[in-house]
Amino acid sequence: MSGFAIRNPYLILVLCFFVMILGAVSTADMPVDMFPPVDLPVVAVATFYSGMPPQQIETNITYHLERQFTLASGIDHMESRSLPGASLIKVYFRGSIDLHSRDE
């Protein structure tokens, strides 16, 4: 097989271009419902405090922010990580919640 490719480099090059063009055309003609729009209602909060160890980040920052976020309505679940110098919290809302509308 490799001997054939070495003897016919132009044929292999044309076949590679053919496969690339076929892939591009197939992707462009693919129905939209194959890739439905995904709009997950998620809010991510990152808080940075350089030099603070993860245990103190969790006790002093992450814990208090999580308690405040639980007051919001429509929360499905929360994920949080306390890293050296950073607190990362993701708040996942139920699918029916519209994060762009505001009650004023």
Side-chain angles (χ1 to χ4, degrees), residues 10-21:
Y10 294 114
L11 176 65
I12 300 301
L13 189 63
V14 168
L15 287 174
C16 288
F17 282 134
F18 177 73
V19 168
M20 286 178 17
I21 291 171

Side-chain angles (χ1 to χ4, degrees), residues 24-67:
V25 169
S26 298
T27 303
D29 288 342
M30 198 173 290
V32 175
D33 64 343
M34 292 291 285
F35 301 111
V38 177
D39 190 20
L40 297 175
V42 177
V43 174
V45 177
T47 308
F48 301 100
Y49 196 106
S50 61
M52 189 178 275
Q55 296 81 10
Q56 283 185 331
I57 291 275
E58 184 172 358
T59 342
N60 296 339
I61 297 173
T62 307
Y63 172 75
H64 295 291
L65 287 176
E66 282 181 341
R67 287 196 50 188

